[in-house]
Amino acid sequence: MTQATFADLTTLSPELVQAVNALGFNQPTPVQFAAIGTILQGRDVLVSAQTGSGKTAAFALPVLQMALAGRAAQQRMAINTAQRAPNRRVFGLVLVPTRELAAQVGGVFREMASHIAEHQDAADVGDANDTRPLKIATLFGGVSINPQMMALRGGADIVVATPGRLLDLVASNAVSLSTTAVLVLDEADRLLDLGFADELKSVLDLLPVRRQNLFFSATLPDAVQSLAAQLLHEPSVITIEASEQTTPDIRQRAIAVDPVQRTQLLRHLIQTEGHKRVLVFVATKFAAHTVAEKLRKAKIAAAPFHADLAQGTRTQVLADLKSGKWDVVVTTDLASRGIDVTALNLVVNYDLPRSADDYTHRIGRTARAGASGLAINFVSADTDAHLRLIENRHGLSLVREQIAGFEPTQLMPNPHHNEAFQAAGLDPMGGIKGKRPSKKDKLRAQVGADGQLVSPD
């Protein structure tokens, strides 16, 4: 069966089809095929699709088309009434949780808008003299607010923003949200994490009641579903399940290693396997600096990346990773979303993520744009139980490899002990909660090599 093309999306304008073709995209991904037509019908949507599935274009294309139609309508009204179009207007608002994601999504909108301008027929926008690209404003903190205020003069067709900086600009009277027709929540699950919920509510209070709402997320926790129930009107729910077609081609490995040997093992893997453009996830900002410094001493081009760095530094680090100046970027979970480096071939979980959902986002930084990728997890005796929780959540079963010269000195839990624990009515995934062993820990110590419980006598 022949796969659909963007031209088959009959609701998408010829200008948009030509624009995406010029960008090298001919076939929509499943989430794009399912969402674009529904959005252009004016319906609210709640979309769940995994990382790397093409969600950004799934909302960017229809929002751009609707913004063009909205601009034309404003121009006709201005001509008919001899009035100027409203100042500080915003047609579409895209809210994202991080600065990096704001920059990335804003870049997608600008690139598409520039290609649309090359192909659009002036008659379609209502004024033969107005073939300007749609105006896209990207707003986020960590940088001077003044250039963003200047960029908002005269309003913007589409604003991509983090909630905090957007509220600052509203308070400075630099932008008004009173005419916003379309709201997009990108990475809605992260927007509702601690620290975003209050700001999000403040932004929602500034928007007109009548608007189209588009919620996009890789996961749909209870908080997102609760907000969707409150804000979405008879939404179309689109869920793209993982399949051979939609699942990124990521080979996953688990390497057993003592914690003190992780940096040396990381260096060994990079040098012996020839990895370039590597993203290494650690638990703390201090670890990001420490690991990067140790790699640099080993003549590996590495840089730290975390929230305490100045925004200019963060932007430069990512640009240098994409250009090949850095072979390795050592980061906190700040980079688990909003980082799109096509040639990123390896993600290393130096420290395992706290949640199974974060695991998905982390490894999803590789295998972008149809490429294949590799994800390596470092696991020790203390963290093996947590990796098994992640494996259970995602239906994985990773062999615990050992690398010559880096064999762990601490014994790994017996991989066959689950049956013995379940037979005893206990949770085999229980971890060590403190220095004093619990009943589960004592039973774990009693599991023999054959997986059977043995007597402590």
Side-chain angles (χ1 to χ4, degrees):
M1 181 177 178
T2 304
Q3 186 173 341
T5 67
F6 279 102
D8 295 322
L9 295 170
T10 56
T11 53
L12 199 61
S13 71
E15 293 78 23
L16 268 293
V17 173
Q18 292 179 55
V20 293
N21 288 343
L23 289 169
F25 303 109
N26 298 312
Q27 297 177 324
T29 66
V31 68
Q32 292 162 5
F33 191 82
I36 289 173
T38 304
I39 294 171
L40 288 172
Q41 293 172 6
R43 297 188 61 182
D44 285 4
V45 299
L46 175 62
V47 179
S48 173
Q50 66 193 72
T51 297
S53 59
K55 292 192 294 294
T56 302
F59 62 75
L61 285 168
V63 169
L64 284 165
Q65 181 164 313
M66 293 187 292
L68 282 171
R71 173 192 279 186
Q74 283 191 340
Q75 290 170 347
R76 287 192 294 269
M77 181 179 298
I79 292 171
N80 293 336
T81 62
Q83 294 179 353
R84 295 179 60 187
N87 196 21
R88 298 184 296 118
R89 75 198 187 290
V90 171
F91 175 84
L93 172 63
V94 183
L95 291 178
V96 298
T98 69
R99 304 168 188 174
E100 285 68 32
L101 189 55
Q104 179 179 305
V105 173
V108 171
F109 270 99
R110 280 191 296 274
E111 187 172 21
M112 288 183 173
S114 66
H115 282 278
I116 293 169
E118 294 175 4
H119 298 287
Q120 78 182 22
D121 180 352
D124 289 338
V125 296
D127 183 350
N129 295 318
D130 190 355
T131 58
R132 299 167 300 153
L134 290 168
K135 185 176 179 182
I136 315 297
T138 304
L139 314 175
F140 52 81
V143 296
S144 173
I145 198 171
N146 292 329
Q148 295 177 3
M149 294 179 71
M150 296 289 290
L152 286 168
R153 286 188 174 181
D157 295 292
I158 297 167
V159 165
V160 181
T162 55
R165 177 50 60 95
L166 179 63
L167 290 171
D168 291 341
L169 288 159
V170 169
S172 299
N173 205 34
V175 63
S176 171
L177 303 179
S178 61
T179 62
T180 301
V182 182
L183 168 69
V184 181
L185 296 189
D186 189 18
E187 303 287 9
D189 49 353
R190 282 288 299 277
L191 278 165
L192 293 177
D193 284 349
L194 185 63
F196 287 113
D198 291 342
E199 292 177 337
L200 178 58
K201 182 180 184 304
S202 297
V203 172
L204 294 174
D205 289 342
L206 297 170
L207 297 171
V209 175
R210 296 189 63 181
R211 65 178 186 271
Q212 185 177 6
N213 299 290
L214 315 176
F215 283 21
F216 281 75
S217 185
T219 60
L220 292 178
D222 291 343
V224 173
Q225 296 188 50
S226 176
L227 182 64
Q230 297 174 42
L231 298 182
L232 301 185
H233 176 67
E234 298 181 352
S236 176
V237 179
I238 299 171
T239 301
I240 305 299
E241 300 290 351
S243 66
E244 185 174 344
Q245 182 182 7
T246 62
T247 301
D249 182 14
I250 304 174
R251 184 165 64 95
Q252 300 175 55
R253 299 170 60 188
I255 301 179
V257 59
D258 290 336
V260 296
Q261 287 281 85
R262 287 176 299 176
T263 304
Q264 293 94 319
L265 175 58
L266 176 62
R267 181 183 65 193
H268 172 80
L269 293 173
I270 292 170
Q271 292 175 333
T272 60
E273 298 182 3
H275 296 292
K276 301 290 184 181
R277 291 189 177 91
V278 180
L279 200 59
V280 178
F281 284 98
V282 295
T284 67
K285 301 166 190 173
F286 176 78
H289 282 281
T290 301
V291 175
E293 177 62 25
K294 289 181 178 179
L295 292 176
R296 285 196 297 269
K297 289 180 178 178
K299 308 302 182 184
I300 296 173
F305 183 84
H306 56 74
D308 281 355
L309 296 175
Q311 184 58 42
T313 302
R314 286 160 56 172
T315 301
Q316 190 61 52
V317 168
L318 294 181
D320 289 344
L321 177 64
K322 293 178 182 180
S323 70
K325 177 180 178 179
W326 300 122
D327 292 328
V328 182
V329 166
V330 187
T331 181
T332 61
D333 270 322
L334 175 67
S336 63
R337 307 197 194 192
I339 302 300
D340 192 356
V341 181
T342 302
L344 189 73
N345 72 340
L346 173 62
V347 168
V348 177
N349 283 318
Y350 185 99
D351 291 306
L352 294 176
R354 293 183 179 180
S355 77
D357 288 340
D358 287 340
Y359 180 82
T360 299
H361 294 301
R362 282 186 180 189
I363 70 170
R365 298 310 97 201
T366 188
R368 310 290 287 187
S372 59
L374 172 64
I376 294 177
N377 302 285
F378 288 166
V379 58
S380 68
D382 290 337
T383 61
D384 186 77
H386 185 52
L387 182 57
R388 291 189 187 280
L389 284 172
I390 293 172
E391 289 177 287
N392 286 352
R393 178 72 176 271
H394 295 293
L396 302 172
S397 181
L398 304 179
V399 175
R400 290 352 183 217
E401 304 175 37
Q402 292 190 13
I403 304 298
F406 298 92
E407 297 89 347
T409 59
Q410 302 176 28
L411 292 178
M412 299 292 290
N414 189 320
H416 303 292
H417 75 298
N418 286 12
E419 296 85 354
F421 272 84
Q422 291 166 352
L426 298 174
D427 178 8
M429 307 310 297
I432 298 173
K433 299 180 176 61
K435 294 182 179 179
R436 184 176 180 181
S438 65
K439 287 184 177 179
K440 295 178 186 178
D441 301 327
K442 292 176 181 177
L443 272 170
R444 185 179 292 109
Q446 297 172 28
V447 177
D450 60 354
Q452 300 298 314
L453 288 176
V454 298
S455 169
D457 300 326

